[in-house]
Amino acid sequence: MAFLYFIVMLGGIILLHEFGHFIFAKLFGVYVYEFALGMGPTLFKWEGKETKYSIRLLPLGGYCAMAGEEANDEAQGIPENRLYSGLSGIKKIIILAAGPLMNFILAWFLFVGIYLGLGEIVDPPLPYINGVIEESPAQAAGFEFGDKIVKITFSDGSDIEPNDFYDIIQAISAHHDEAVYTVERAGELKDITVTPQYVEEEDRYIIGITMPEANVRKLTIGECFTAGTEYFTDAVSLLFEVIGQLFHGIGLDTLSGPIGIYTATAEQIEYGFVSYLSLVGLLSLNIGIMNLIPVPMFDGGRILLTAIEMIIGKRLPKKLENALMLGSLGLVLLLFVYSTANDIIRLL
């Protein structure tokens, strides 16, 4: 059953992403050879008026193959005005951005829908320490009940001022080195240095503090839209923060590939359908943002190359474009292998 939920989730997210490219390509009159869900050998296919639609074996991708899209695509017999390469730069960018946009719309729709379905919200616990676990790093460092964590300074010099306890949990998850926690105690500020400890049974890092109970409150329909939108913007902000940390080498060991996503899917199903929908929204948002990273293999990279072509007034040389695509493909494959290795190590 978990595998079915995994396929539906991944397939649905990819389908909407590629549909974004597809619908705007059609709106701009571009000839589309094939609209495919998945990669690898074809399982099912049917011919439309001019486009072939297919479902392929591996549900790990998909594509919208447009005439004139590739640098080496001669697009024989297709009029110039129906080629992707014949479009204005603005129209190309709109087609490329439409995929991630669909991912964002799906995520926002699901987040708002979850709050509409529940009719209530759990406010994040404030960054106060509700308890200190015995024989933990936090106890040894000197944390006390009632301490308010106002700032965390990490070993690389960066810092955060947590708005709620979830920010603290995220910080501990991403930074495993020694950190300085500035706490407010009896009206005075105090710096406490502590290093997170890995707990194998829970497969996570902790310092040994517990959070206050969350407050549950009812929502009106309007508040549901507001709460869903706030959750969306908070998730976007957090994902950009995590991506920035990854570029600095922080949290690389937390990267997950398809195996990790499948494991997370199985776990969320056990918590209920709402948790599963939340995971779908977060993964859709993740895929949308990742595709905007300026790497040539991704939509963001192709948007960047298109913008450069608009500035210089001509298309980049085919050899350069192919080299950039090949190089970025190598980086993506390395990232895929690394994240999959992380997943296997966690399973073992």
Side-chain angles (χ1 to χ4, degrees):
M1 183 61 71
F3 183 73
L4 178 60
Y5 277 102
F6 172 74
I7 294 298
V8 170
M9 175 178 67
L10 207 56
I13 291 173
I14 295 169
L15 179 64
L16 281 174
H17 180 98
E18 295 302 326
F19 182 73
H21 297 315
F22 175 79
I23 192 65
F24 278 94
K26 287 290 189 180
L27 284 174
F28 293 145
V30 177
Y31 189 100
V32 179
Y33 293 125
E34 182 178 359
F35 180 75
L37 174 61
M39 306 293 285
T42 302
L43 296 178
F44 307 101
K45 66 177 180 179
W46 59 97
E47 297 287 344
K49 185 176 180 180
E50 64 180 25
T51 302
K52 180 174 76 172
Y53 301 89
S54 64
I55 298 177
R56 295 175 176 267
L57 179 63
L58 303 175
L60 303 178
Y63 56 87
C64 173
M66 297 175 284
E69 181 180 17
E70 302 296 334
N72 58 355
D73 184 2
E74 298 178 359
Q76 297 179 354
I78 299 174
E80 177 70 22
N81 65 346
R82 300 213 59 196
L83 298 179
Y84 173 82
S85 56
L87 295 176
S88 66
I90 294 297
K91 288 184 177 180
K92 289 179 181 178
I93 290 175
I94 291 174
I95 291 174
L96 293 170
L101 176 62
M102 292 298 287
N103 290 132
F104 298 150
I105 291 173
L106 173 62
W108 179 84
F109 180 82
L110 287 174
F111 296 154
V112 170
I114 287 172
Y115 282 111
L116 285 171
L118 294 176
E120 61 184 25
I121 188 173
V122 179
D123 291 320
L126 295 175
Y128 286 89
I129 295 177
N130 194 48
V132 180
I133 298 174
E134 292 288 333
E135 300 181 358
S136 67
Q139 185 184 53
F143 285 95
E144 294 182 5
F145 169 82
D147 285 348
K148 179 184 179 182
I149 299 176
V150 297
K151 184 178 179 180
I152 307 175
T153 304
F154 306 108
S155 59
D156 62 355
S158 63
D159 60 66
I160 65 165
E161 296 180 2
N163 295 313
D164 53 58
F165 208 94
Y166 296 147
D167 289 343
I168 300 171
I169 295 174
Q170 173 62 30
I172 296 172
S173 175
H175 299 265
H176 305 156
D177 297 331
E178 182 180 86
V180 177
Y181 287 67
T182 302
V183 302
E184 182 180 328
R185 180 186 300 169
E188 297 182 357
L189 297 180
K190 179 180 178 64
D191 288 340
I192 301 177
T193 302
V194 65
T195 302
Q197 178 183 44
Y198 179 70
V199 179
E200 187 173 354
E201 295 80 7
E202 301 180 22
D203 188 27
R204 65 188 182 100
Y205 284 84
I206 67 167
I207 63 172
I209 56 177
T210 59
M211 64 181 178
E213 290 187 6
N215 177 51
V216 180
R217 58 186 173 90
K218 297 294 183 180
L219 296 176
T220 65
I221 293 178
E223 288 173 335
C224 288
F225 278 88
T226 301
T229 302
E230 288 180 353
Y231 189 89
F232 176 88
T233 55
D234 289 344
V236 170
S237 176
L238 178 59
L239 284 172
F240 273 115
E241 180 182 334
V242 169
I243 290 173
Q245 291 173 346
L246 290 176
F247 276 107
H248 288 86
I250 301 171
L252 286 172
D253 57 338
T254 64
L255 280 177
S256 286
I259 297 175
I261 296 173
Y262 172 77
T263 302
T265 303
E267 291 175 351
Q268 296 307 311
I269 291 171
E270 292 183 1
Y271 291 126
F273 192 62
V274 170
S275 294
Y276 170 72
L277 290 180
S278 179
L279 176 64
V280 175
L282 289 172
L283 183 59
S284 181
L285 196 56
N286 204 317
I287 289 175
I289 291 175
M290 288 293 290
N291 265 279
L292 289 178
I293 294 176
V295 174
M297 276 295 296
F298 295 153
D299 295 326
R302 296 176 64 193
I303 289 173
L304 177 61
L305 294 179
T306 302
I308 292 173
E309 291 176 345
M310 292 173 65
I311 293 172
I312 64 177
K314 61 180 180 180
R315 187 165 183 175
L316 294 173
K318 291 183 179 180
K319 288 185 178 180
L320 175 60
E321 191 172 341
N322 287 335
L324 290 172
M325 288 294 178
L326 186 61
S328 62
L329 175 61
L331 290 175
V332 171
L333 289 175
L334 284 174
L335 183 64
F336 176 81
V337 171
Y338 180 82
S339 60
T340 302
N342 277 346
D343 293 338
I344 294 173
I345 290 172
R346 291 191 196 99
L347 289 176
L348 296 177

